[in-house]
Short mmCIF file of all heavy atoms in Angstrom, two decimals:
data_model
loop_
_atom_site.label_atom_id
_atom_site.label_comp_id
_atom_site.label_asym_id
_atom_site.label_seq_id
_atom_site.Cartn_x
_atom_site.Cartn_y
_atom_site.Cartn_z
N ALA K 135 25.91 3.24 -8.73
CA ALA K 135 25.39 3.27 -10.09
C ALA K 135 24.96 1.85 -10.44
O ALA K 135 25.79 0.99 -10.69
CB ALA K 135 26.47 3.73 -11.07
N GLY K 136 23.67 1.59 -10.40
CA GLY K 136 23.17 0.24 -10.65
C GLY K 136 23.63 -0.67 -9.54
O GLY K 136 23.41 -0.40 -8.36
N THR K 137 24.34 -1.74 -9.88
CA THR K 137 24.80 -2.66 -8.84
C THR K 137 26.26 -2.43 -8.46
O THR K 137 26.89 -3.25 -7.82
CB THR K 137 24.63 -4.11 -9.32
OG1 THR K 137 25.18 -4.20 -10.63
CG2 THR K 137 23.16 -4.50 -9.35
N GLN K 138 26.81 -1.29 -8.88
CA GLN K 138 28.22 -1.00 -8.56
C GLN K 138 28.30 0.19 -7.62
O GLN K 138 27.53 1.13 -7.73
CB GLN K 138 28.98 -0.64 -9.84
CG GLN K 138 28.92 -1.67 -10.93
CD GLN K 138 29.79 -2.83 -10.62
OE1 GLN K 138 30.81 -2.68 -9.96
NE2 GLN K 138 29.40 -4.01 -11.06
N TYR K 139 29.28 0.13 -6.74
CA TYR K 139 29.54 1.28 -5.89
C TYR K 139 30.49 2.22 -6.62
O TYR K 139 31.47 1.79 -7.20
CB TYR K 139 30.19 0.83 -4.58
CG TYR K 139 29.23 0.24 -3.59
CD1 TYR K 139 29.15 -1.13 -3.40
CD2 TYR K 139 28.39 1.05 -2.83
CE1 TYR K 139 28.27 -1.68 -2.49
CE2 TYR K 139 27.50 0.52 -1.93
CZ TYR K 139 27.45 -0.86 -1.76
OH TYR K 139 26.57 -1.39 -0.87
N LEU K 140 30.21 3.51 -6.57
CA LEU K 140 31.11 4.47 -7.21
C LEU K 140 32.21 4.90 -6.25
O LEU K 140 33.31 5.24 -6.67
CB LEU K 140 30.31 5.70 -7.67
CG LEU K 140 29.36 5.45 -8.85
CD1 LEU K 140 28.56 6.68 -9.12
CD2 LEU K 140 30.12 5.03 -10.09
N GLU K 141 31.89 4.91 -4.98
CA GLU K 141 32.89 5.26 -3.98
C GLU K 141 33.37 4.00 -3.30
O GLU K 141 32.59 3.07 -3.14
CB GLU K 141 32.28 6.19 -2.93
CG GLU K 141 31.92 7.55 -3.44
CD GLU K 141 31.06 8.31 -2.42
OE1 GLU K 141 31.00 7.88 -1.26
OE2 GLU K 141 30.44 9.30 -2.81
N PRO K 142 34.63 3.93 -2.88
CA PRO K 142 35.09 2.73 -2.17
C PRO K 142 34.37 2.60 -0.83
O PRO K 142 34.10 3.60 -0.16
CB PRO K 142 36.59 2.97 -1.98
CG PRO K 142 36.76 4.43 -2.12
CD PRO K 142 35.70 4.91 -3.03
N LEU K 143 34.10 1.35 -0.47
CA LEU K 143 33.32 1.13 0.75
C LEU K 143 34.13 1.42 2.00
O LEU K 143 33.65 2.04 2.92
CB LEU K 143 32.81 -0.33 0.78
CG LEU K 143 31.57 -0.60 -0.06
CD1 LEU K 143 31.30 -2.08 -0.12
CD2 LEU K 143 30.37 0.12 0.50
N THR K 144 35.37 0.89 2.03
CA THR K 144 36.19 1.09 3.23
C THR K 144 37.23 2.16 2.94
O THR K 144 37.79 2.22 1.86
CB THR K 144 36.90 -0.20 3.62
OG1 THR K 144 37.50 -0.74 2.44
CG2 THR K 144 35.92 -1.20 4.20
N GLU K 145 37.49 2.97 3.94
CA GLU K 145 38.53 3.99 3.79
C GLU K 145 39.89 3.26 3.83
O GLU K 145 40.20 2.58 4.79
CB GLU K 145 38.47 4.99 4.96
CG GLU K 145 37.14 5.72 5.06
CD GLU K 145 36.86 6.57 3.84
OE1 GLU K 145 37.80 7.22 3.31
OE2 GLU K 145 35.70 6.61 3.41
N SER K 146 40.68 3.38 2.77
CA SER K 146 41.94 2.63 2.72
C SER K 146 42.95 3.27 3.68
O SER K 146 43.26 4.45 3.59
CB SER K 146 42.49 2.61 1.30
OG SER K 146 42.64 3.94 0.85
N THR K 147 43.42 2.44 4.63
CA THR K 147 44.39 2.94 5.61
C THR K 147 45.84 2.73 5.14
O THR K 147 46.78 3.22 5.73
CB THR K 147 44.21 2.21 6.95
OG1 THR K 147 44.16 0.80 6.68
CG2 THR K 147 42.92 2.64 7.64
N GLU K 148 45.98 1.97 4.04
CA GLU K 148 47.35 1.70 3.54
C GLU K 148 47.93 2.93 2.88
O GLU K 148 47.23 3.77 2.35
CB GLU K 148 47.30 0.57 2.50
CG GLU K 148 46.87 -0.75 3.10
CD GLU K 148 46.60 -1.75 1.99
OE1 GLU K 148 46.64 -1.37 0.80
OE2 GLU K 148 46.33 -2.91 2.31
N ASP K 149 49.21 2.96 2.90
CA ASP K 149 49.92 4.05 2.26
C ASP K 149 50.02 3.73 0.76
O ASP K 149 50.62 2.73 0.37
CB ASP K 149 51.32 4.17 2.89
CG ASP K 149 51.91 5.55 2.68
OD1 ASP K 149 51.23 6.38 2.04
OD2 ASP K 149 53.03 5.79 3.14
N THR K 150 49.43 4.53 -0.07
CA THR K 150 49.42 4.21 -1.50
C THR K 150 50.79 4.43 -2.15
O THR K 150 51.03 3.99 -3.25
CB THR K 150 48.38 5.08 -2.22
OG1 THR K 150 48.54 6.43 -1.76
CG2 THR K 150 46.98 4.61 -1.91
N GLU K 151 51.69 5.13 -1.43
CA GLU K 151 53.01 5.41 -2.00
C GLU K 151 53.90 4.17 -2.02
O GLU K 151 54.80 4.06 -2.85
CB GLU K 151 53.72 6.51 -1.17
CG GLU K 151 52.89 7.77 -1.00
CD GLU K 151 52.66 8.49 -2.33
OE1 GLU K 151 53.62 8.66 -3.09
OE2 GLU K 151 51.50 8.86 -2.59
N VAL K 152 53.59 3.25 -1.07
CA VAL K 152 54.45 2.06 -0.98
C VAL K 152 54.30 1.22 -2.23
O VAL K 152 53.20 0.87 -2.64
CB VAL K 152 54.05 1.23 0.27
CG1 VAL K 152 54.83 -0.04 0.33
CG2 VAL K 152 54.21 2.06 1.53
N SER K 153 55.42 0.90 -2.85
CA SER K 153 55.35 0.19 -4.14
C SER K 153 55.14 -1.30 -3.92
O SER K 153 55.31 -1.82 -2.82
CB SER K 153 56.63 0.42 -4.93
OG SER K 153 57.68 -0.29 -4.29
N LEU K 154 54.81 -1.95 -5.01
CA LEU K 154 54.50 -3.37 -4.95
C LEU K 154 55.73 -4.18 -4.58
O LEU K 154 55.66 -5.17 -3.84
CB LEU K 154 53.95 -3.81 -6.31
CG LEU K 154 53.35 -5.21 -6.42
CD1 LEU K 154 52.16 -5.35 -5.50
CD2 LEU K 154 52.94 -5.49 -7.83
N LYS K 155 56.92 -3.72 -5.07
CA LYS K 155 58.16 -4.45 -4.83
C LYS K 155 58.46 -4.51 -3.32
O LYS K 155 58.80 -5.55 -2.78
CB LYS K 155 59.30 -3.75 -5.56
CG LYS K 155 60.58 -4.57 -5.64
CD LYS K 155 61.65 -3.81 -6.41
CE LYS K 155 62.96 -4.58 -6.38
NZ LYS K 155 64.06 -3.83 -7.02
N GLU K 156 58.27 -3.36 -2.67
CA GLU K 156 58.53 -3.33 -1.23
C GLU K 156 57.55 -4.22 -0.48
O GLU K 156 57.90 -4.88 0.49
CB GLU K 156 58.41 -1.89 -0.74
CG GLU K 156 59.64 -1.05 -1.11
CD GLU K 156 59.37 0.43 -0.88
OE1 GLU K 156 58.62 0.74 0.07
OE2 GLU K 156 59.91 1.25 -1.63
N LYS K 157 56.34 -4.26 -0.97
CA LYS K 157 55.33 -5.11 -0.31
C LYS K 157 55.73 -6.57 -0.43
O LYS K 157 55.60 -7.35 0.52
CB LYS K 157 53.97 -4.90 -0.97
CG LYS K 157 53.24 -3.67 -0.49
CD LYS K 157 51.81 -3.67 -1.01
CE LYS K 157 51.20 -2.31 -0.80
NZ LYS K 157 49.96 -2.16 -1.56
N LEU K 158 56.26 -6.98 -1.64
CA LEU K 158 56.67 -8.36 -1.84
C LEU K 158 57.87 -8.69 -0.96
O LEU K 158 57.98 -9.80 -0.44
CB LEU K 158 57.03 -8.58 -3.32
CG LEU K 158 55.82 -8.78 -4.27
CD1 LEU K 158 56.28 -8.70 -5.70
CD2 LEU K 158 55.14 -10.10 -4.00
N GLU K 159 58.76 -7.72 -0.80
CA GLU K 159 59.93 -7.98 0.05
C GLU K 159 59.52 -8.22 1.49
O GLU K 159 60.15 -9.00 2.21
CB GLU K 159 60.88 -6.78 -0.03
CG GLU K 159 61.78 -6.81 -1.26
CD GLU K 159 62.61 -5.54 -1.37
OE1 GLU K 159 62.61 -4.74 -0.40
OE2 GLU K 159 63.26 -5.35 -2.40
N GLN K 160 58.43 -7.55 1.89
CA GLN K 160 57.97 -7.74 3.27
C GLN K 160 57.49 -9.17 3.51
O GLN K 160 57.64 -9.71 4.58
CB GLN K 160 56.84 -6.77 3.59
CG GLN K 160 57.32 -5.35 3.87
CD GLN K 160 56.16 -4.38 3.85
OE1 GLN K 160 55.01 -4.79 3.96
NE2 GLN K 160 56.46 -3.10 3.70
N LEU K 161 56.94 -9.75 2.44
CA LEU K 161 56.49 -11.14 2.58
C LEU K 161 57.68 -12.06 2.42
O LEU K 161 58.46 -11.91 1.49
CB LEU K 161 55.44 -11.48 1.52
CG LEU K 161 54.16 -10.67 1.50
CD1 LEU K 161 53.47 -10.85 0.16
CD2 LEU K 161 53.24 -11.12 2.62
#
Side-chain angles (χ1 to χ4, degrees):
Chain K
T137 49
Q138 304 285 329
Y139 282 103
L140 290 175
E141 292 168 15
L143 279 171
T144 48
E145 300 297 320
S146 56
T147 49
E148 294 169 355
D149 202 0
T150 46
E151 306 294 313
V152 176
S153 71
L154 190 62
K155 193 179 174 185
E156 284 168 33
K157 279 189 193 167
L158 280 168
E159 278 175 9
Q160 283 166 18
L161 300 162

